[in-house]
Amino acid sequence: MGSSGEAPDPTNASTPAEFIAKLRALRTWSGLTYRQMEGKAATYRDALPASTIATTLGRATLPRERFVDAFTRACGLGDDEVRTWLEVRTRIAMADPTQPEEEPPPSRPRWHGLARVAAIAAIGAAVGVAATLGIGALSGSEGSATQEPKYVELPAKPVGGLDMPVVGSWARIHPAGSPDLCLSQGYDRTDRYDTEIAAQMPCEEVPFPLVYLEPVAENVVQIQWHHPEFGVGCLAVMLDGVGQDMLEPRDKCADGDLTEQFRLEQDGEHFRLQPTVNYRCLGLRAPVDEAGAEVVQSPCSDAAEQRFAIELIKPPF
């Protein structure tokens, strides 16, 4: 994985929105995922959480100076190039008095389901999940800030049947039989589970959360939800409890958590979505033709409700 050609030039950016667009172009040029950028930043002793990157690049306000410094270095720029980006940021900040010189750090995302995250992630780490799948995890001892991270490279097109770049893509996921519905935020129709879950909803009536598919292994992705209020979360299948077999967003995307990873298996024009924790299939809970039908895992079958169309879309900013 790596960049090619010249890095984007920020000097003609004159507004915060244009500067953010340049930062997004720089991330694309680098060829790195958010988690890989987090690891790269650590080699410079910078703190650059993946969730902070996603949240900052989704805003229309000027990012903090220390974010720009860490972000550009993580993308592979040298001292002179980093200085240019910082000078452009300063120029824009001085020209627009409504932009704070230093924004407070973004608040932690507030998706639900936090109680189960640590236990499940720990189980995944204990069995060597990251090494087994070959996902983009850091090598070497934990906590080493000087060792250059090494990553398993993904194919240029990491998901068969999708023209998705290695850095991932914004997307809409439609039930195969309902192109006007999208996998989005809903609630348990039985009212037994009282926090947000994944359900099919009218695409135009429920604009958030935005969906981003990030490859973590060949034909395996995390399904990220980006929300203006809750921040960034990853969908995870629930293995027990009242919400068993449904999907909920979690506020921390964990590399080693198989409940947050889904294999995309092409089936003609559609895809099966399989949680890698057990290789069952995602589908819709009956009645499946209603808006609000919950997305649940169940044994794989030929049922139409276990087929999804994946539409890759342009960045929605």
Side-chain angles (χ1 to χ4, degrees), residues 112-117 120 186-188 192-198 234-250 257-260 262 275 277-278 280 282 285 294-298:
H112 296 278
L114 306 187
R116 287 180 290 278
V117 173
I120 297 175
Y187 293 91
D188 179 12
R192 296 178 62 228
Y193 195 72
D194 60 0
T195 60
E196 298 90 343
I197 59 164
C234 275
L235 283 185
V237 63
M238 291 181 277
L239 302 179
D240 54 27
V242 176
Q244 183 172 351
D245 294 331
M246 294 190 291
L247 275 66
E248 68 178 358
R250 303 225 174 115
D257 190 346
L258 293 185
T259 66
E260 294 179 1
F262 300 89
V277 70
N278 53 23
R280 304 180 92 188
L282 300 186
R285 176 179 287 172
E294 303 89 340
V295 178
V296 295
Q297 68 166 358
S298 60

Side-chain angles (χ1 to χ4, degrees), residues 18 163 203 212 227:
E18 290 176 356
D163 191 25
C203 300
Y212 192 88
H227 194 286

Side-chain angles (χ1 to χ4, degrees), residues 18-293:
E18 290 176 356
F19 189 75
I20 286 290
K22 294 287 188 180
L23 288 174
R24 289 198 294 267
L26 181 63
R27 200 292 291 254
T28 300
W29 170 83
S30 75
L32 297 173
T33 66
Y34 293 160
R35 289 189 305 283
Q36 290 172 334
M37 291 187 68
E38 181 177 353
K40 287 285 188 181
T43 67
Y44 299 103
R45 300 184 182 274
D46 291 326
L48 193 65
S51 59
T52 299
I53 299 173
T55 301
T56 302
L57 295 186
R59 290 175 169 174
T61 54
L62 199 63
R64 294 169 290 134
E65 182 174 299
R66 61 182 179 269
F67 173 88
V68 176
D69 185 284
F71 181 93
T72 51
R73 292 184 190 280
C75 285
L77 301 187
D79 289 343
D80 291 343
E81 295 168 303
V82 170
R83 189 175 302 111
T84 297
W85 282 83
L86 293 174
E87 290 172 352
V88 171
R89 183 212 170 272
T90 300
R91 168 172 55 79
I92 295 173
M94 294 178 64
D96 187 352
T98 66
Q99 293 292 327
E101 178 63 21
E102 278 297 309
E103 297 178 28
S107 59
R108 289 293 299 162
R110 291 180 287 139
W111 292 113
H112 296 278
L114 306 187
R116 287 180 290 278
V117 173
I120 297 175
I123 293 172
V127 298
V129 169
T132 302
L133 285 181
I135 52 182
L138 291 175
S139 65
S141 60
E142 184 178 354
S144 173
T146 58
Q147 183 176 359
E148 178 70 15
K150 297 180 181 179
Y151 304 96
V152 175
E153 293 191 9
L154 294 175
K157 301 298 181 184
V159 177
L162 284 179
D163 191 25
M164 177 191 295
V166 71
V167 295
S169 176
W170 298 97
R172 283 181 168 181
I173 302 176
H174 306 274
S178 303
D180 294 331
L181 301 179
C182 288
L183 188 152
S184 189
Q185 176 179 305
Y187 293 91
D188 179 12
R189 289 175 294 178
T190 70
D191 292 328
R192 296 178 62 228
Y193 195 72
D194 60 0
T195 60
E196 298 90 343
I197 59 164
Q200 65 174 6
M201 303 293 290
C203 300
E204 303 306 326
E205 294 181 17
V206 186
F208 295 104
L210 303 172
V211 174
Y212 192 88
L213 301 181
E214 180 163 350
V216 295
E218 189 168 2
N219 296 319
V220 177
V221 301
Q222 285 184 330
I223 303 175
Q224 297 178 1
W225 275 7
H226 293 240
H227 194 286
E229 180 181 358
F230 299 137
V232 181
C234 275
L235 283 185
V237 63
M238 291 181 277
L239 302 179
D240 54 27
V242 176
Q244 183 172 351
D245 294 331
M246 294 190 291
L247 275 66
E248 68 178 358
R250 303 225 174 115
D251 81 329
K252 184 176 181 181
C253 299
D255 283 346
D257 190 346
L258 293 185
T259 66
E260 294 179 1
Q261 298 176 11
F262 300 89
R263 181 172 298 278
L264 303 185
E265 180 183 88
Q266 188 176 14
D267 183 10
E269 297 180 353
H270 300 118
F271 289 85
R272 294 174 184 257
L273 278 64
Q274 298 178 311
T276 58
V277 70
N278 53 23
Y279 290 94
R280 304 180 92 188
C281 286
L282 300 186
L284 299 171
R285 176 179 287 172
V288 300
D289 56 350
E290 291 184 0

